[in-house]
């Protein structure tokens, strides 16, 4: 800040220029040349905007701290409806894995099955994201790990993925609350640390198979 700008800064609303050593307001920026401090006064709009920005950031990275217990029953109902749509189509998923043509030849209505599965998936994902934000990599880690253990049969994979995904998220949330004493990390950061390397391994495997460039 130039010396001749001090008067203009003092005239700005919500700003005080104080001698070094004073501590006032929500934050400050030290001036190295004139040893002065630029202080922003507490302002309700500023603090409200800061809190809103923080909540948006936590929602984008994924966080369970803001989840409310009164939403448990509505969420359980939505998940029950989605699973009721997806579970009967587990055998259909096995046939769709063979390709659309093969599935149609075996009597599967491919487009109808895809629409129902898309509805069930969108319902589950939308319900989860509305409460916890964008927690990534759970849908990547859990199904691939279970496929290695249970095999490719979706009659086992669909219910097992629902249960194991919830258990995995609980473990990640416990880790987020205990890694730093007195602080809580966003659970999305923990799932990203676990899922990022796995994503790179899977992408590398697909490159070796020549499926992606």
């Amino acid at each position: 800040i130039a010396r001749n700008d001090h008067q203009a800064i003092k005239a700005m609303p919500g700003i005080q220029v104080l001698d070094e050593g004073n501590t006032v307001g929500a934050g400050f920026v030290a001036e190295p040349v004139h040893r002065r401090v630029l202080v922003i006064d507490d302002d309700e709009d500023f603090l409200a905007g800061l809190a809103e920005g923080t909540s948006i950031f936590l929602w984008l990275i994924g966080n369970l701290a803001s989840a409310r217990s009164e939403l448990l029953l509505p969420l359980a109902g939505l998940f029950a409806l989605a699973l009721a749509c997806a579970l009967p189509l587990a055998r259909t998923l096995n046939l769709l894995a063979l390709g659309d043509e093969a599935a149609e030849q075996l009597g599967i209505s491919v487009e109808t099955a895809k629409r129902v599965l898309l509805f069930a998936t969108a319902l589950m994902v939308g319900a989860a994201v509305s409460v916890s934000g964008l927690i990534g990599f759970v849908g990547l880690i859990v199904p691939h790990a279970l496929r290695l253990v249970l095999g490719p049969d979706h009659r086992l994979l669909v219910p097992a993925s629902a249960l194991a995904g919830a258990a995995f998220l609980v473990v990640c949330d416990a880790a987020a609350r205990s890694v730093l004493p007195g602080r809580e990390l966003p659970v999305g950061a923990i799932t990203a640390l676990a899922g990022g390397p796995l994503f790179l391994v899977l992408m590398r495997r697909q490159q070796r198979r020549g499926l992606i460039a």
Side-chain angles (χ1 to χ4, degrees):
I1 305 173
R3 187 186 300 273
N4 57 2
D5 290 337
H6 282 183
Q7 296 300 325
I9 292 175
K10 288 181 181 179
M12 294 172 61
I15 300 295
Q16 297 178 4
V17 179
L18 307 175
D19 292 333
E20 186 181 21
N22 293 331
T23 305
V24 179
F28 64 89
V29 179
E31 181 194 350
V33 177
H34 303 293
R35 313 298 291 176
R36 311 279 279 183
V37 177
L38 180 66
V39 181
I40 304 175
D41 285 342
D42 290 337
D43 184 86
E44 292 183 1
D45 293 337
F46 171 78
L47 295 178
L50 183 62
E52 184 177 358
T54 302
S55 64
I56 291 174
F57 171 76
L58 290 176
W59 185 85
L60 288 174
I61 196 174
N63 186 30
L64 296 179
S66 59
R68 302 193 302 273
S69 59
E70 59 266 23
L71 297 176
L72 182 61
L73 286 179
L75 284 176
L78 292 174
F79 279 111
L81 175 60
L83 287 175
C85 294
L87 287 175
L89 295 176
R91 178 177 174 275
T92 302
L93 282 171
N94 290 337
L95 298 178
L96 287 174
L98 302 175
D100 290 355
E101 256 186 66
E104 285 182 354
Q105 291 173 0
L106 293 171
I108 300 299
S109 178
V110 174
E111 293 302 320
T112 301
K114 286 182 177 180
R115 290 192 184 98
V116 174
L117 290 170
L118 180 61
F119 168 77
T121 304
L123 188 60
M124 286 188 284
V125 172
V129 170
S130 67
V131 174
S132 60
L134 304 176
I135 300 177
F137 294 103
V138 177
L140 176 70
I141 298 172
V142 175
H144 279 87
L146 289 177
R147 188 181 293 271
L148 296 175
V149 177
L150 301 177
D153 190 352
H154 289 86
R155 291 174 295 180
L156 295 175
L157 282 177
V158 173
S161 294
L163 295 175
F168 174 74
L169 190 58
V170 169
V171 171
C172 289
D173 184 54
R177 296 172 187 268
S178 58
V179 169
L180 296 178
R183 297 183 181 181
E184 179 180 350
L185 294 175
V187 67
I190 303 298
T191 59
L193 287 175
L198 177 61
F199 175 76
L200 294 177
V201 169
L202 293 175
M203 186 174 65
R204 183 62 177 171
R205 182 180 299 176
Q206 296 297 323
Q207 285 180 335
R208 289 177 180 175
R209 293 179 181 176
L211 298 180
I212 59 177

